[in-house]
Amino acid sequence: MTADTLATLSDQLILAAILLYLAAMVGYALELAFATRPAQVRELVASDGSTITETQEAEPVAWAMRAGRIAVGLTWVGWAANVTATLTRGLAVERWPWGNMYEFVVAMILAAVTVYLFMQLRYPVRFLGAFVSVIAAVGLGFSVRVLYTQAGPVVPALDSYWVAIHVTAAIAASGLFTVGGVAAALYLFRGSRGEGQSRLPALADLERIAHRVIVIGFPIWTFAVISGALWADKAWGRYWNWDPKEVWAFITWVAYAAYLHARATAGWKGKAALIVSLVAFGCLLFNLVGVNIFFGGLHSYADVN
Amino acid sequence: MTLTDEEQKEVTKPVGLGVVGWLRWGWRTLTSMRTALILLFLFALASVPGSVFPQRNVDASLVARYYANDPVKAEWLDRFWLFDVFHSPWFAAIYLLLFLSLVGCVLPRTLAHLKEIRRKPPAAPRNLLRLPHHDEFTADLTIAEAAATLKKRRFRVETGPDWVAAEKGHLRETGNLVFHVALLVLLIAVGAGGLYGYKGNVLVVEGDGFANTVAAYDRYVPGASVSAESLEPFSFKLTDFQATYIGPGHEKVGQPLTFSATLSVKDAPGAAERVVDLRVNEPLDVNGTLTYLIGHGYAPVFKVTDGQGQVAYEGPVPCLTSNTSTYESECVIKVPDARPQQLAFLGRFLPSTLPVGEEWISVFPGAANPTVQVWPFAGDLGLDSGEPQSVYDLSAHKNLKPLGTMTVQPRPLAVGEALDLPGGAGKIEFTGVKEWISLQTTYDPGRMPALVASIAAVLGLVFSLTIRRRRVWVRMKDGRVTVGGLSRTEGSNFTDEFAEIVASLNPRSGVSDDR
Ligand code: HEM
């Protein structure tokens, strides 16, 4: 296949992935809405006067459960389209397929969906699918509509093996943090509606999911920042110059470190710590999109048209 | 580890009376984890304006533009160092406090941890069945066997007459301390790099050379403790520069693809010459002094003959690139040797010229069809007046008069063409095109320590986040074995591992433990 055919194929696969993620979202939503009725919580007074809470799980509804399973299948197919789109783009341009904002966002969505799919193989986190698939569809749609850049070579500064190291780490960490952000947002949403009144899993489970992905993401992000400094040393002759992208990567890092500290501090665990994690996630997104659009600086050649 | 209630109380109440008490309270407050966190947050917050306002150390011309647009506001921003955020006193204050706070919290924790590592696992509590994880079974297990099984699982083990105590996971705290110490080293390395390093910028035209001395730089920024004699004594000659660009037919026509400068380098006076292909991302390294290719542009070559028929100037003139997508450039040629009058020229260099009506534009950054438009001036350049002058600007010269009538778009000269000046003032010939490169040389002794500290920080972090501390005790009495377990890392799942440990201790469970 020629480079042009590969590039066109990549563009079409992205559209296919958007549609598949949207279809999956419908399946997940049906399952969330109809599969389980909210659990009944009763307080029983035992003979010795202590109270026992008894949770009565209602029977799951079969067709809605099936909708959820189909949604996971659709997500896998969408993921395959997403992977192939990234691969064909890379083959078309003969370099790592994350050299500009469009490619970076596509890869980050891919990372987030990958994290979710592999997590749901091991843990009962299918409910996250509804939210991850929305983010994936909207994110891909945004990158196609706003960030799209024709397949082509990159400027000399980006033509480096450091892309493979530094940007890959940033993408992986961003994917993990995205799932962490979803879990944290669900925690706050569920918490605001009171225990027992929701179809979402228990607060403690949401808290654990958020913590688990952030704990994996944080060292990877640290590595991404450090490898960025190494690259800057190779490319510009200084490893740290407080370029806006560097400033915001650092702020993001500090904010996630603050989350980890807050979680380890008595009285902060739970809601307060998760709010900090969402602030950190906001910084991450701002660094990804805002810095390129609002500020100048050496990093801004990751061009947005 | 969690901030305990006692620690919080200590922090919030100034204890005792008098100066010593207040000092102690101040030190405790400063070195508490909460203060460190707040300082860390402040540090991050303080760097935000550095990304919002243009910074002198990143791009001084943007600051100048800010001044031109709104001098009053710029003046005020400057008063608060907002164009030099990272060199401002308030940023330094936060940096120093954070540094002190880190030292204060890392030192005592390291001492405590060193003691903790040497301590034996604590003896078994009386009733193991009260622990969060527990189990019992009947088997004839000996203390030695139980200890061996736990040792195989890499527990540190201590035995008593009828009990075994085992503990694992000190690497968590070790990793955490390594991480925090590495942060300290990183802060020091960055500071040392600023003090003992230097940075210099220079522009070199094809065919010219450079020797690494302070005087040779166009701009030289030394750290506070650098002496001019300590510069690495290398030199080089720029023999060639090549740039390639995306050709027509693509959305990004004209985008650069590769830059490559060929240097013949002498690492020291008298050393053998070596040829270096200098590229973006691939600096020249001479014993840790690095030279980077950071920009390029055109230097058209001119020959100026004055009114008396003498050649008053001959050579390349580096031009400033005014449009980076077409490399249309602006040049100033000053000819103080011209007689009877001194001459000066403004030039507009077009690497790929295309006529559009009565005008000429450049359509591509490569020099496919180079031409230059020339506006001549004559008069007094005033070079003897002692006033500072820019080589890229004529506007400061009040005693220069245009020669002949000024047109907006004079017909451009192709290579080999000449322009005869009005009134027999001489002529200017465009004889060829060279390119220039801009280079940045940096020497930063903090680079390697900073790198080592960063790697240590990541490794320490991984250990600190993934390793769990746990304790297991075994007690035996009349053939009954009780096992208790305690996870000292909150939030971690110890149930599965504990069940495995119990199974491997129980000879009848059929679990063989091959670890
Ligand atoms: C006075 C200064 C500091 C003190 C007293 C301090 C104290 C601590 C303590 C006690 C822990 C262990 C928490 C646990 O085991 O769960 C910890 C963990 C950690 N610290 Fe610090 N710290 C300080 C400064 C910093 C700074 C400046 C950073 C850099 C961002 C940082 C990043 C971390 C990280 C990432 C962890 C791991 C959190 C976790 O275990 O979940 N700390 N710190």
Side-chain angles (χ1 to χ4, degrees):
Chain A
M1 272 194 274
T2 67
D4 280 347
T5 336
L6 283 168
T8 315
L9 179 62
S10 170
D11 293 350
Q12 287 162 347
L13 281 168
I14 288 294
L15 296 182
I18 294 178
L19 294 178
L20 285 159
Y21 288 149
L22 281 176
M25 178 202 74
V26 174
Y28 289 122
L30 287 176
E31 184 184 27
L32 260 190
F34 300 110
T36 51
R37 297 178 197 92
Q40 305 285 316
V41 181
R42 277 195 292 168
E43 287 216 334
L44 303 177
V45 182
S47 51
D48 62 358
S50 65
T51 56
I52 302 168
T53 31
E54 189 189 73
T55 315
Q56 230 168 23
E57 292 291 346
E59 271 297 292
V61 181
W63 69 264
M65 294 283 283
R66 199 173 315 128
R69 279 195 296 275
I70 292 173
V72 173
L74 286 170
T75 315
W76 276 110
V77 183
W79 178 81
N82 203 339
V83 170
T84 321
T86 302
L87 277 178
T88 46
R89 179 93 174 183
L91 291 172
V93 294
E94 292 177 352
R95 57 173 170 78
W96 286 81
W98 27 83
N100 52 49
M101 282 285 290
Y102 166 73
E103 294 170 358
F104 185 86
V105 174
V106 168
M108 184 183 136
I109 298 287
L110 176 60
V113 175
T114 309
V115 170
Y116 159 70
L117 280 174
F118 282 87
M119 253 184 112
Q120 60 88 37
L121 289 181
R122 283 198 54 190
Y123 308 102
V125 292
R126 198 150 88 201
F127 66 93
L128 282 179
F131 308 93
V132 172
S133 56
V134 175
I135 290 180
V138 171
L140 288 184
F142 174 75
S143 57
V144 169
R145 295 287 308 164
V146 181
L147 305 172
Y148 184 76
T149 315
Q150 190 185 337
V154 287
V155 296
L158 284 177
D159 182 14
S160 163
Y161 58 88
W162 283 104
V163 170
I165 301 167
H166 167 64
V167 187
T168 309
I171 287 169
S174 306
L176 285 158
F177 287 150
T178 305
V179 175
V182 169
L186 288 179
Y187 180 102
L188 296 184
F189 175 74
R190 192 190 195 287
S192 69
R193 311 201 26 216
E195 284 277 2
Q197 293 296 303
S198 172
R199 295 187 164 85
L200 293 169
L203 289 177
D205 291 332
L206 288 167
E207 206 275 339
R208 203 164 319 126
I209 293 167
H211 181 243
R212 185 160 286 158
V213 286
I214 293 174
V215 159
I216 302 171
F218 187 70
I220 302 180
W221 183 254
T222 313
F223 175 77
V225 173
I226 291 172
S227 61
L230 278 168
W231 186 7
D233 189 49
K234 270 264 178 273
W236 301 320
R238 80 295 175 298
Y239 53 86
W240 197 269
N241 202 35
W242 299 106
D243 185 77
K245 202 84 173 179
E246 293 168 358
V247 170
W248 282 91
F250 172 69
I251 293 173
T252 308
W253 184 76
V254 168
Y256 275 111
Y259 159 74
L260 291 175
H261 274 90
R263 192 177 179 277
T265 304
W268 276 70
K269 196 179 161 181
K271 191 171 168 190
L274 284 172
I275 290 176
V276 176
S277 88
L278 282 177
V279 170
F281 186 60
C283 295
L284 181 85
L285 289 184
F286 183 76
N287 195 23
L288 177 64
V289 183
V291 167
N292 290 57
I293 294 173
F294 297 122
F295 305 137
L298 290 164
H299 269 91
S300 302
Y301 47 54
D303 46 5
V304 193
N305 308 43
Chain B
M1 210 172 90
T2 312
L3 196 64
T4 58
D5 287 341
E6 298 99 275
E7 202 179 335
Q8 286 192 12
K9 257 182 230 137
E10 275 185 294
V11 167
T12 44
K13 267 203 203 116
V15 286
L17 300 159
V19 182
V20 177
W22 278 101
L23 281 178
R24 286 184 57 148
W25 173 81
W27 178 247
R28 282 231 185 91
T29 308
L30 180 64
T31 58
S32 79
M33 180 150 151
R34 179 175 308 173
T35 311
L37 269 183
I38 292 172
L39 286 172
L40 196 57
F41 245 138
L42 270 180
F43 198 56
L45 212 61
S47 56
V48 173
S51 72
V52 175
F53 300 107
Q55 296 296 300
R56 282 213 173 83
N57 65 325
V58 177
D59 193 343
S61 67
L62 287 178
V63 179
R65 198 176 305 162
Y66 211 103
Y67 258 98
N69 288 346
D70 193 344
V72 179
K73 190 168 158 206
E75 187 90 13
W76 272 103
L77 292 176
D78 223 2
R79 228 161 262 173
F80 294 100
W81 291 274
L82 287 169
F83 298 127
D84 299 286
V85 167
F86 304 104
H87 301 105
S88 67
W90 49 267
F91 196 79
I94 299 176
Y95 177 96
L96 277 177
L97 281 176
L98 179 62
F99 186 87
L100 272 180
S101 168
L102 263 177
V103 171
C105 82
V106 167
L107 271 183
R109 277 180 68 199
T110 308
L111 296 180
H113 184 56
L114 286 178
K115 248 192 234 156
E116 173 82 18
I117 284 182
R118 273 179 272 135
R119 191 176 295 156
K120 302 272 183 191
R126 191 152 311 228
N127 188 352
L128 294 182
L129 296 179
R130 286 227 185 114
L131 291 172
H133 302 272
H134 54 84
D135 207 344
E136 61 181 332
F137 52 87
T138 33
D140 35 57
L141 186 69
T142 64
I143 295 289
E145 281 168 349
T149 306
L150 286 166
K151 265 192 193 139
K152 255 193 213 158
R153 291 183 159 267
R154 309 234 306 279
F155 276 87
R156 327 146 134 258
V157 174
E158 171 77 356
T159 52
D162 58 348
W163 52 264
V164 182
E167 186 171 22
K168 189 169 167 176
H170 279 302
L171 261 182
R172 180 189 182 87
E173 178 72 358
T174 309
N176 192 276
L177 286 172
V178 166
F179 171 77
H180 286 87
V181 172
L183 282 188
L184 268 179
V185 175
L186 190 62
L187 286 180
I188 296 173
V190 171
L195 277 180
Y196 295 100
Y198 67 87
K199 184 170 104 174
N201 294 79
V202 67
L203 183 148
V204 183
V205 180
E206 276 174 311
D208 288 356
F210 168 81
N212 191 29
T213 55
V214 171
Y217 284 109
D218 301 329
R219 178 167 167 258
Y220 173 72
V221 189
S225 310
V226 180
S227 87
E229 288 82 50
S230 65
L231 269 58
E232 191 68 33
F234 66 91
S235 62
F236 58 77
K237 186 177 168 208
L238 173 63
T239 49
D240 187 31
F241 175 76
Q242 295 290 335
T244 58
Y245 306 90
I246 296 185
H250 193 275
E251 183 183 75
K252 291 195 198 138
V253 55
Q255 178 203 295
L257 287 176
T258 59
F259 299 134
S260 157
T262 311
L263 308 180
S264 50
V265 181
K266 277 189 187 166
D267 286 355
E273 267 188 2
R274 58 181 174 124
V275 175
V276 173
D277 181 17
L278 186 69
R279 288 168 181 269
V280 180
N281 287 320
E282 292 168 33
L284 162 70
D285 184 349
V286 182
N287 298 326
T289 299
L290 297 165
T291 302
Y292 299 81
L293 174 60
I294 57 172
H296 73 111
Y298 287 101
V301 186
F302 294 99
K303 183 172 161 187
V304 178
T305 313
D306 66 15
Q308 301 177 342
Q310 306 289 327
V311 175
Y313 181 85
E314 184 163 19
V317 177
C319 302
L320 287 184
T321 308
S322 48
N323 180 333
T324 49
S325 57
T326 65
Y327 269 78
E328 181 191 312
S329 313
E330 287 165 10
C331 329
V332 168
I333 309 142
K334 294 180 184 176
V335 192
D337 294 341
R339 297 291 177 275
Q341 281 182 298
Q342 291 182 324
L343 295 173
F345 305 85
L346 285 180
R348 179 166 169 255
F349 178 78
L350 306 168
S352 289
T353 316
L354 189 76
V356 179
E358 290 293 288
E359 301 188 347
W360 289 268
I361 58 167
S362 174
V363 290
F364 190 71
N369 175 26
T371 64
V372 61
Q373 294 172 307
V374 174
W375 291 265
F377 296 81
D380 180 7
L381 277 168
L383 295 184
D384 311 325
S385 70
E387 282 171 36
Q389 297 186 342
S390 164
V391 284
Y392 298 111
D393 196 2
L394 272 187
S395 57
H397 301 281
K398 291 173 208 75
N399 298 327
L400 281 179
K401 295 261 158 13
L403 271 178
T405 48
M406 282 279 140
T407 47
V408 178
Q409 286 258 356
R411 197 186 66 78
L413 308 174
V415 175
E417 288 185 330
L419 174 74
D420 286 316
L421 303 179
K427 73 171 182 178
I428 178 166
E429 189 181 353
F430 174 34
T431 58
V433 179
K434 289 188 172 184
E435 288 179 76
W436 56 259
I437 57 175
S438 55
L439 299 170
Q440 175 162 303
T441 300
T442 59
Y443 172 65
D444 182 348
R447 291 165 67 238
M448 279 325 271
L451 175 61
V452 171
S454 312
I455 293 171
V458 177
L459 290 181
L461 191 59
V462 169
F463 282 117
S464 149
L465 289 178
T466 55
I467 290 181
R468 294 163 296 142
R469 269 189 82 178
R470 50 249 193 243
R471 287 183 177 156
V472 172
W473 290 276
V474 185
R475 265 188 187 283
M476 284 164 218
K477 202 173 180 191
D478 314 329
R480 278 214 70 71
V481 180
T482 48
V483 188
L486 183 64
S487 165
R488 302 201 53 208
T489 303
E490 159 288 332
S492 64
N493 185 357
F494 187 44
T495 315
D496 295 346
E497 191 189 348
F498 182 75
E500 253 181 62
I501 292 171
V502 172
S504 67
L505 283 169
N506 187 349
R508 269 185 262 162
S509 72
V511 174
S512 68
D513 195 60
D514 304 325
R515 286 190 217 204

